[in-house]
Amino acid sequence: MIRWTESGRERSAVWRSALGAPPPQRVVIADDRTKAATAYRLACEGTALLWRGDFHNARQLLSAMGRRCEPAAPGAGFHRHRQAQSQRARTLGMLLIPYDADHVVPLRRAPDVQEACAEVYGPAAPPGVGPLRELLGLIGAHEWRKKGVYVPALGARVHPHHGVFSPVRGEYVDLVAEEPLPGDRLAFDVGTGTGVLAAVLARRGIRHVVATDLDRRAVECAEDNVTRLGLEGRVEVVRADLFPPGRAPLVVCNPPWLPATPISPLDHAVYDPDGRMLEGFLSGLAEHLEPGGEGWLILSDLAEHLELRTREQLLGAFERAGLRVAGRRDVAPRHNRAKEAADPLHAARAAEVTSLWRLIR
């Protein structure tokens, strides 16, 4: 619950945060008269602002607050960059909006957000209060889910759900689409996310693909995409921590690329605390490979350029797991951030290479 005082009365409502943010302890009322400088100062001090004005004006205020947040300087390094990101998220998360029952926002010029909210919170919900920034994220995720992301390797669109990493980095998908297959009978896709790699493997002719993920949202998303692509008979989606039972001639994994702590649930697709998923995949791979089988690890070397992991540590992890490198295919990133000199991580992004490591016992 979140509690505040308004017009001399104690008020409370259900706290709504899809990202798991805690409810603020101090809340004041804000409206169209609230200045951006005042809102930013209060937010930095840990005081939330519950909006009672026009919805579009709230969006403009949020943008003005965002312009006041100090980004990390170019070349500041990964940890300074993450610190600045975390502070920005906390500050902008202090502008709150109310919800009436069933996801109706009772503000002037508020959009209809019922469908977007229902995808995350369920079809019915009591009145509540939550961060405006999160609602805008839900709206954006809803649009991604409706329109989908075109994947050239599939010749079709993949539809990411809220909280599931979108396959916008097409180079890693292309690696899986182009590497020669060790067979066409069975493959495991570990940590499937949207199911894009499982779908690529099925489209390439693998007769049965078992796709796993521990996150319920990812499992639902992958099942949705498998159905949309007409691959129900070829791809089986299973909720599991890493591997399904048994062995396969091909086991594929695209784990989070950076061994760092996630700030929010959405970060889990990018940040792998202490490299636990990578280590878990490598340590369990040998016992899930059939004789002569291959494990395909798709991994960026961005962590190496950010000094979060060394190449020697990665190769040492292969050796400890009883694995040998049978081959490697590399590709340079195609995303625009690799070209943005003002990005605090520009030097690392510009040098980044994504690799498909072919691992055998």
Side-chain angles (χ1 to χ4, degrees):
M1 301 294 290
I2 182 172
R3 294 174 174 81
W4 71 98
T5 300
E6 185 173 359
S7 301
R9 294 176 53 199
E10 295 295 319
R11 304 282 298 275
S12 66
V14 172
W15 174 245
R16 182 181 292 200
S17 172
L19 302 183
Q25 298 301 306
R26 298 189 301 276
V27 182
V28 298
I29 302 302
D31 58 26
D32 301 321
R33 298 166 295 178
T34 303
K35 303 297 185 184
T38 302
Y40 179 71
R41 174 179 58 79
L42 289 169
C44 289
E45 294 170 352
T47 299
L49 299 96
L50 177 55
W51 189 255
R52 294 300 193 192
D54 178 88
F55 184 87
H56 286 231
N57 289 347
R59 292 190 62 167
Q60 291 178 353
L61 178 64
L62 187 69
S63 296
M65 292 169 64
R67 291 192 293 271
R68 286 168 165 76
C69 294
E70 290 289 338
F78 175 75
H79 297 293
R80 292 281 182 87
H81 172 62
R82 289 279 284 161
Q83 186 178 39
Q85 282 186 316
S86 179
Q87 180 58 45
R88 176 185 174 87
R90 283 195 298 270
T91 300
L92 299 186
M94 289 293 176
L95 184 56
L96 313 179
I97 60 163
Y99 294 88
D100 283 347
D102 301 330
H103 314 302
V104 174
V105 177
L107 299 175
R108 295 190 307 276
R109 294 201 292 172
D112 181 351
V113 299
Q114 289 180 288
E115 189 175 355
C117 289
E119 289 173 351
V120 177
Y121 297 113
V129 169
L132 171 61
R133 187 168 186 251
E134 284 199 22
L135 175 62
L136 298 180
L138 263 62
I139 294 171
H142 174 63
E143 293 303 313
W144 276 106
R145 182 168 174 172
K146 282 199 306 183
K147 297 177 182 177
V149 177
Y150 184 73
V151 179
L154 285 173
R157 292 184 176 273
V158 166
H159 297 259
H161 292 194
H162 179 267
V164 183
F165 191 69
S166 174
V168 291
R169 291 282 301 265
E171 62 267 17
Y172 78 89
V173 180
D174 291 343
L175 286 171
V176 173
E178 295 166 3
E179 189 68 21
L181 294 170
D184 65 359
R185 180 175 58 83
L186 174 65
F188 296 162
D189 175 24
V190 175
T192 193
T194 60
V196 61
L197 296 185
V200 167
L201 293 171
R203 285 282 178 89
R204 291 193 65 189
I206 292 185
R207 286 171 281 167
H208 186 56
V209 181
V210 182
T212 72
D213 210 294
L214 188 59
D215 189 330
R216 289 187 183 276
R217 296 170 301 180
V219 170
E220 293 173 2
C221 179
E223 289 176 336
D224 177 36
N225 282 308
V226 166
T227 300
R228 287 175 182 267
L229 294 168
L231 297 172
E232 300 99 316
R234 304 278 294 282
V235 178
E236 176 188 2
V237 183
V238 176
R239 186 167 187 251
D241 189 0
L242 296 176
F243 300 93
R247 298 174 182 264
L250 175 62
V251 182
V252 177
C253 183
N254 174 35
W257 290 346
L258 298 179
T261 302
I263 296 173
S264 74
L266 295 178
D267 284 347
H268 282 279
V270 180
Y271 299 105
D272 181 15
D274 300 320
R276 288 198 294 265
M277 182 175 177
L278 175 60
E279 287 285 346
F281 171 72
L282 293 176
S283 63
L285 178 58
E287 64 184 82
H288 287 91
L289 281 178
E290 291 184 355
E294 296 183 4
W296 290 0
L297 172 66
I298 298 92
L299 194 67
S300 160
D301 67 354
L302 184 61
E304 298 172 23
H305 298 294
L306 295 173
E307 300 182 352
L308 302 175
R309 178 175 57 230
T310 66
R311 178 56 57 93
E312 290 71 24
Q313 288 173 320
L314 180 63
L315 296 177
F318 294 166
E319 185 176 355
R320 289 193 303 275
L323 302 168
R324 293 182 293 118
V325 178
R328 192 183 84 211
R329 183 189 294 259
D330 299 333
V331 64
R334 298 192 292 265
H335 59 87
N336 291 331
R337 297 185 73 179
K339 305 172 186 176
E340 294 176 1
D343 188 322
L345 307 182
H346 169 70
R349 294 191 197 280
E352 179 187 7
V353 171
T354 301
S355 301
L356 185 155
W357 297 83
R358 290 177 49 238
L359 304 174
I360 59 175
R361 294 192 291 174

